Amino acid sequence: MPIPAPAADSLAALLGARFSTSAADRELHGQSETFHRAPPPDAVAWPVSTEEVAGIVAICHEHRVPVIGWGTGTSLEGHALATQGGLVIDLTKMDRVLEIRAEDMQVSLQPGCTREALNTELRATGLFFPVDPGANASLGGMAATRASGTTAVRYGTMRDNVLALEVVLADGSIIRTGTRAAKSSAGYDLTGLFVGSEGTLGIITELTLRLHGQPEEVASAVCGFPTLDQAVECVTATIQSGIPMARIEFVDADAARAFNRYAGTNLHEGPHLMVEFHGSPATVKEDAQRFGELARDFGGTGFDWATTPEDRAALWKMRHGAYRACLALRPGATAVVTDVCVPMSHLPAAVAAAAQDIREAGLIGPMVGHVGDGNFHSQLLVMPGDEQELAAAKRVATRMAERALAVGGTITGEHGVGIGKRPLMRAQHGEAVRVMAAIKAALDPQGIMNPGKLVPDVN
Amino acid sequence: MPIPAPAADSLAALLGARFSTSAADRELHGQSETFHRAPPPDAVAWPVSTEEVAGIVAICHEHRVPVIGWGTGTSLEGHALATQGGLVIDLTKMDRVLEIRAEDMQVSLQPGCTREALNTELRATGLFFPVDPGANASLGGMAATRASGTTAVRYGTMRDNVLALEVVLADGSIIRTGTRAAKSSAGYDLTGLFVGSEGTLGIITELTLRLHGQPEEVASAVCGFPTLDQAVECVTATIQSGIPMARIEFVDADAARAFNRYAGTNLHEGPHLMVEFHGSPATVKEDAQRFGELARDFGGTGFDWATTPEDRAALWKMRHGAYRACLALRPGATAVVTDVCVPMSHLPAAVAAAAQDIREAGLIGPMVGHVGDGNFHSQLLVMPGDEQELAAAKRVATRMAERALAVGGTITGEHGVGIGKRPLMRAQHGEAVRVMAAIKAALDPQGIMNPGKLVPDVN
């Protein structure tokens, strides 16, 4: 349903030209990076302050208009699609770094600030924000989806690095959660509740993040392996040995091929690990040496070390471009992206079974992963409109998720639930989905906050 | 009000002799470590399984009987007092380690297992559970209060080390939260919600914890400082320098005096830091050296290194005995224990202001603290029955909390809210207390789960 006229009038009065119902603005905010599709939203708003967000949500609350937060639109699970219509709140005009408190290793910022913009601002402070999902996502979006990525094995996920939030609730009221202290046991962990709530409980309007010291020394390398099993078993052994990896990423033969074609690299077209070490020169040397020995035990060869900042940037740019590179393996294709995460000891079997499933289904599905966390992705390429292929890809994705659950893992390590994983929520959480639904109903009784996402129907 | 007869009959039928209304059993479960006082509970139950806990809570739900969880009774904020009567569920018979998964560095266990018992079981695995609040608390209780302690600066708090829970909800239903994967973005972080919920949302009946590798090398030391300011400024400088401390504890002159009297030590009666380093022999040596240089810059002298396990055990036994040692400074006294936590840059001023307040109030209040987190305690000694002295101690405690809030800190870093910090919840959280109350009402509509704790009255 379109926005009711009184609501549209109030929004236009509040925001002027920063409220739009034009087809062009709506189309731009109806896109999805993956195969998920929905009609565009009914309108788009670009607030510039917390007070404006509160005003927008209060109007939507009064008129029961769905409210969907929008960061950079890089979600892979359709989080920002207006599946039930309504208003998209585009937060890109709220992108300021508000305060860097270097002595406390903290920063306060607005949700539309991207991780690259933040790290550019931090460069001279000796500090950085490590969470790195690949895409240059907004930090509000990263908090809302509990993002992580290549460095979580060392620095944790958004759960570990968000200290405090300001949130606009479903009725338009504004709350603050968390503190600037390193820890607190003062009541329910509301910060933790809003991190990963995907806009279904409120709109994040300010974040306080933990920062980390820029490592004195950084060394990165890529290393080939004869077989997928050997590469993954090397990861498990590395993590169990306690070597403090800053990144340890898996790339399968198809993904290596995609990098060669798309990024002009010259990798052998087999499985690889991409690794990075952070620390003092002495510890980085020791860690790299220990890893090198382990890798050789598993048949690792052709270590290519990137020691200059430029070489390292090229290496991780290649890794971060994996999604586009893999799409380019099949021009015109879109993707069903899997995101299981399993306990470390189950990783080799999980990856091997996934590879077999993909092969048997006759799909192209390059695999990459943050394997130091037990988290890996397959990007199942499907042609838009080919319903049979889409169904096959979804079957493979569901089997991977079911296998992860069978060993105590999760259906999504970092992409979030959105639309895509919602049908699997009960399989993962059982009766606990009722608790999620009860919390959702308590905080958003009208169900206007990003409806149709995350929380499954429980009745 | 006593337990209604039909409820008592049902509980007796379920539990036999493991349900008691005897005065002796009730008195034992009506004790508090600190100045908080309440009448004993109306009855005590000792379940041996999750199903029994579920059965007990279902009966209490039917008859609207308050339910209070009990671990080891070492809470400092009256968490386990039956302030509104009801049934204490004593979990000490559910104390088994269920499964150690060494290859995944995880353990599953029952809530009554204590941290010392767990670490004894883990000794041969090369792994340990680091969270260490001092008291030999139950791990269920530690999760329920979001405990931390001396090692949080390195290994995090219970928030960071609980991966999954089994919880009995207010209606007697059983849910599981979290997974065995290192990370998950599959919906609301219910594990994080129950950690720190102090039994007000459910009873934890099983925990899955992260384990850590036993450090190859450990070195501990105690070091004296000329003034309180210098000791605390040394902590701030140490944390800002990025030296990876495993512990860094502050002890003031009164606490040093208490140790000398109670533990037979021979400390100079001035401020001290107690530190510990974990790592490889080379990194421990380097870290200890860097800390030593910093400490000397702030006037630190008389480094006393404990390198043997026995010496280290004696050192930390002394620190862990601080509460009893300080009580013994004034025979017959009980204590109002403060627990503020502030951003690191505000620590020196916060400690100095606290010391001045205590002095001006004419109180004896030795201070110790997990200062690497910005967290410190004063133990304000009061004689039972001296209402004037109690009021003075509470005033000092409240001023410390207000000062912590003024710089973005928290009223409680690790002890939890219980009864004691409840009146300050609105000052810390503002309108966010309404969100806590909404969650409480959604999950426990009858208000039977540890009523009168944590969540303030919001109307």
Side-chain angles (χ1 to χ4, degrees), chain B residues 92-419:
Chain B
T92 49
K93 290 190 191 297
M94 290 176 66
D95 65 347
R96 277 183 302 135
V97 173
L98 299 170
E99 189 185 16
I100 298 170
R101 294 183 295 281
E103 70 285 10
D104 291 323
M105 302 177 78
Q106 294 176 11
V107 63
S108 296
L109 45 76
Q110 292 184 308
C113 179
T114 66
R115 64 175 186 84
E116 289 181 5
L118 171 60
N119 279 321
T120 300
E121 284 227 27
L122 289 173
R123 202 168 285 162
T125 64
L127 301 169
F128 80 121
F129 185 70
V131 183
D132 176 4
N136 185 23
S138 69
L139 289 152
M142 286 167 62
T145 54
R146 204 182 294 125
S148 49
T150 56
T151 60
V153 65
R154 171 72 166 256
Y155 297 99
T157 72
M158 288 305 280
R159 177 184 195 272
D160 307 302
N161 288 286
V162 178
L163 274 168
L165 295 172
E166 180 187 71
V167 180
V168 171
L169 300 177
D171 63 357
S173 62
I174 303 166
I175 62 162
R176 287 187 166 268
T177 73
T179 74
R180 293 180 179 182
K183 66 185 188 185
S184 174
S185 57
Y188 304 153
D189 181 6
L190 298 183
T191 305
L193 181 64
F194 284 101
V195 171
S197 67
E198 305 184 0
T200 64
L201 301 177
I203 299 281
I204 295 169
T205 49
E206 189 183 314
L207 303 90
T208 295
L209 305 177
R210 259 182 229 280
L211 301 175
H212 298 260
Q214 290 170 12
E216 197 185 344
E217 180 86 4
V218 176
S220 311
V222 58
C223 167
F225 287 83
T227 66
L228 181 147
D229 285 356
Q230 283 164 298
V232 180
E233 280 164 13
C234 177
V235 174
T236 305
T238 303
I239 297 300
Q240 288 172 352
S241 77
I243 302 173
M245 306 302 293
R247 318 195 203 220
I248 181 163
E249 294 284 307
F250 168 70
V251 168
D252 81 352
D254 280 346
R257 189 158 57 91
F259 290 147
N260 286 345
R261 287 207 198 170
Y262 190 80
T265 50
N266 190 25
L267 299 172
H268 96 95
E269 295 190 355
H272 288 78
L273 293 181
M274 296 170 66
V275 294
E276 189 164 281
F277 305 90
H278 291 180
S280 70
T283 58
V284 162
K285 193 175 164 190
E286 188 185 319
D287 295 341
Q289 197 168 345
R290 285 174 65 200
F291 173 75
E293 285 161 15
L294 260 175
R296 274 186 292 277
D297 289 348
F298 290 91
T301 52
F303 267 86
D304 187 5
W305 286 93
T307 42
T308 70
E310 294 72 26
D311 285 355
R312 280 203 307 278
L315 184 73
W316 296 112
K317 192 179 167 195
M318 173 180 86
R319 169 64 186 88
H320 286 158
Y323 186 66
R324 305 244 160 257
C326 292
L327 281 182
L329 281 177
R330 198 176 175 195
T334 181
V336 173
V337 184
T338 71
D339 179 36
V340 296
C341 187
V342 298
M344 195 48 64
S345 64
H346 295 278
L347 184 67
V351 174
Q356 187 174 342
D357 279 352
I358 296 166
R359 213 163 41 235
E360 288 178 2
L363 293 168
I364 303 175
M367 290 200 284
V368 296
H370 316 305
V371 281
D373 305 319
N375 182 208
F376 67 97
H377 310 298
S378 169
Q379 192 171 327
L380 304 166
L381 301 180
V382 294
M383 292 312 283
D386 185 338
E387 292 304 320
Q388 210 173 338
E389 194 170 56
L390 180 62
K394 285 185 177 179
R395 272 197 302 276
V396 168
T398 300
R399 283 199 63 182
M400 278 190 218
E402 287 167 349
R403 277 213 200 81
L405 293 179
V407 296
T410 176
I411 57 175
T412 172
E414 59 178 12
H415 292 171
V417 179
I419 307 171

Side-chain angles (χ1 to χ4, degrees), chain A residues 43-326:
Chain A
V44 183
W46 290 266
V48 296
S49 68
T50 298
E51 291 63 35
E52 281 192 355
V53 175
I56 293 166
V57 177
I59 292 165
C60 290
H61 182 255
E62 186 185 343
H63 299 281
R64 299 196 173 221
V65 174
V67 174
I68 303 112
W70 182 280
T72 56
T74 49
S75 153
L76 300 175
E77 294 292 2
H79 286 97
L81 290 177
T83 51
Q84 300 181 18
L87 177 76
V88 161
I89 300 184
D90 181 321
L91 294 153
T92 49
K93 289 190 192 296
M94 290 176 65
D95 65 346
R96 277 183 302 134
V97 172
L98 300 170
E99 189 185 17
I100 298 170
R101 295 183 296 281
E103 69 285 9
D104 292 322
M105 301 176 79
Q106 295 176 10
V107 63
S108 297
L109 44 78
Q110 291 185 308
C113 179
T114 66
R115 63 175 186 83
E116 289 181 5
L118 172 60
N119 279 321
T120 299
E121 285 227 27
L122 290 172
R123 203 167 285 162
T125 64
L127 301 169
F128 80 122
F129 185 69
V131 182
D132 177 3
N136 185 22
S138 69
L139 289 152
M142 286 168 62
T145 54
R146 203 182 296 126
S148 49
T150 56
T151 60
V153 64
R154 172 71 165 256
Y155 298 98
T157 72
M158 289 304 281
R159 177 184 197 272
D160 307 302
N161 288 286
V162 178
L163 273 168
L165 294 172
E166 180 187 72
V167 180
V168 170
L169 299 178
D171 63 358
S173 62
I174 302 166
I175 62 162
R176 287 188 167 267
T177 73
T179 75
R180 294 180 179 182
K183 65 184 189 186
S184 173
S185 58
Y188 303 153
D189 181 7
L190 298 183
T191 305
L193 181 64
F194 284 101
V195 170
S197 67
E198 305 183 1
T200 64
L201 301 177
I203 299 282
I204 295 169
T205 50
E206 189 183 315
L207 304 89
T208 295
L209 304 177
R210 261 183 227 281
L211 301 174
H212 299 258
Q214 290 170 12
E216 197 185 343
E217 179 87 2
V218 176
S220 311
V222 58
C223 168
F225 287 82
T227 67
L228 181 148
D229 285 357
Q230 283 165 297
V232 180
E233 281 164 12
C234 177
V235 175
T236 306
T238 303
I239 298 300
Q240 288 172 351
S241 77
I243 302 173
M245 306 301 293
R247 316 196 203 220
I248 180 164
E249 294 284 306
F250 169 70
V251 168
D252 81 351
D254 280 348
R257 189 158 57 91
F259 291 148
N260 286 345
R261 287 207 200 170
Y262 189 80
T265 51
N266 191 25
L267 299 172
H268 97 94
E269 296 190 355
H272 289 78
L273 294 181
M274 296 171 67
V275 295
E276 189 164 281
F277 305 90
H278 291 179
S280 70
T283 59
V284 163
K285 193 176 164 189
E286 186 185 319
D287 295 341
Q289 197 168 345
R290 284 175 65 199
F291 173 75
E293 285 162 17
L294 260 175
R296 274 187 291 277
D297 288 349
F298 290 91
T301 52
F303 267 86
D304 187 6
W305 286 93
T307 42
T308 69
E310 294 71 26
D311 285 354
R312 279 203 307 278
L315 183 75
W316 295 112
K317 192 178 168 197
M318 174 179 84
R319 169 63 187 88
H320 286 158
Y323 186 66
R324 304 245 161 258
C326 291

